[in-house]
Amino acid sequence: GENVEQHPSTLSVQEGDSAVIKCTYSDSASNYFPWYKQELGKRPQLIIDIRSNVGEKKDQRIAVTLNKTAKHFSLHITETQPEDSAVYFCAAGLEGRRALTFGSGTRLQVQP
Amino acid sequence: DAGVTQSPTHLIKTRGQQVTLRCSPKSGHDTVSWYQQALGQGPQFIFQYYEEEERQRGNFPDRFSGHQFPNYSSELNVNALLLGDSALYLCASSSGRWETQYFGPGTRLLVL
């Protein structure tokens, strides 16, 4: 089955800096890659996703890049703010099957 | 437009007991997936229901079973509870071939 590895497990940045979280996946057939943000005690919330027919997607301060050849994808957050502090999860899925395989999460701390 | 709802929010059980968790999908969604999230880890896929049938199952024992009702709501049942079943149980709903999965707030289960 699919295996998703995520790193780093913790990331601390200064407010205004950029943060990058990286994930690798094992199943070359996977073609859907969402990112979720989970604040303490709350539900995971989708922040951005990408499908394998594109290499990059942006939404304001957030961007995701995908390298299908290398089987890795990354989340980029620019101009970080304290409210970006949370645990971020990457996931991989296969169109038609819909089960998502999640990474182990990255705890992002943005220091004011 | 109501989002995904789950009940109860918290539950305490003892080993060997049985538990039923409930999920109502987001309005317009017809597919429900269940995930188990242990403390400090990413969600793990349990199973998915569509058209009242289990479509796909993750690596969980038969003690975990489910059901989907005609109104698309779903239940997760766990029999013969073990200490290791203590976790946050998340329900996610979606619709269509590759729509986003939206998570509910989860049910936190503690097995003593």
Side-chain angles (χ1 to χ4, degrees):
Chain A
E2 175 66 277
N3 182 51
V4 176
E5 294 191 359
Q6 181 173 349
H7 57 93
S9 56
T10 60
L11 180 59
S12 182
V13 300
Q14 291 295 123
E15 183 176 358
D17 286 351
S18 294
V20 180
I21 302 170
K22 298 182 179 181
C23 290
T24 59
Y25 60 99
S26 61
D27 187 349
S28 57
S30 290
N31 58 4
Y32 175 63
F33 307 95
W35 287 86
Y36 287 86
K37 174 184 179 182
Q38 188 173 30
E39 297 178 55
L40 191 62
K42 297 195 174 179
R43 73 187 76 193
Q45 289 197 303
L46 181 83
I47 55 173
I48 195 167
D49 59 10
I50 190 168
R51 288 174 171 77
S52 61
N53 56 344
V54 297
E56 184 176 2
K57 184 177 178 180
K58 286 184 180 179
D59 183 4
Q60 299 182 337
R61 297 186 297 109
I62 294 173
V64 58
T65 58
L66 171 64
N67 183 328
K68 286 220 68 174
T69 303
K71 291 190 284 187
H72 70 70
F73 56 112
S74 301
L75 177 71
H76 304 252
I77 306 174
T78 59
E79 301 172 23
T80 54
Q81 301 165 3
E83 51 265 39
D84 293 330
S85 296
V87 179
Y88 291 80
F89 292 98
C90 63
L94 177 61
E95 186 173 9
R97 271 206 246 150
R98 305 189 202 180
L100 293 176
T101 301
F102 283 81
S104 54
T106 296
R107 182 172 300 279
L108 174 64
Q109 269 193 308
V110 180
Q111 309 287 352
Chain B
D1 179 23
V4 183
T5 60
Q6 292 186 244
S7 64
T9 55
H10 294 84
L11 208 49
I12 299 175
K13 292 286 187 178
T14 56
R15 280 178 298 175
Q17 284 190 311
Q18 178 263 343
V19 68
T20 298
L21 310 182
R22 295 175 178 83
C23 171
S24 290
K26 185 177 168 66
S27 178
H29 285 184
D30 57 10
T31 302
V32 173
S33 302
W34 287 92
Y35 293 83
Q36 180 195 66
Q37 186 176 25
L39 201 60
Q41 298 189 17
Q44 281 201 303
F45 176 73
I46 302 175
F47 43 53
Q48 181 187 86
Y49 277 85
Y50 170 67
E51 292 187 340
E52 302 180 50
E53 290 190 1
E54 184 183 291
R55 282 174 41 134
Q56 189 181 5
R57 188 179 184 92
N59 190 24
F60 279 80
D62 291 346
R63 298 186 297 111
F64 289 77
S65 64
H67 188 78
Q68 186 178 36
F69 299 95
N71 67 352
Y72 308 121
S73 66
S74 177
E75 288 183 349
L76 163 65
N77 301 291
V78 187
N79 294 321
L81 285 167
L82 304 173
L83 297 180
D85 294 332
S86 296
L88 179 67
Y89 288 85
L90 294 162
C91 159
S93 75
S94 59
S95 179
R97 190 176 182 187
W98 258 126
E99 290 294 323
T100 301
Q101 291 196 21
Y102 292 91
F103 282 90
T107 294
R108 189 163 295 283
L109 172 65
L110 178 61
V111 182
L112 300 176

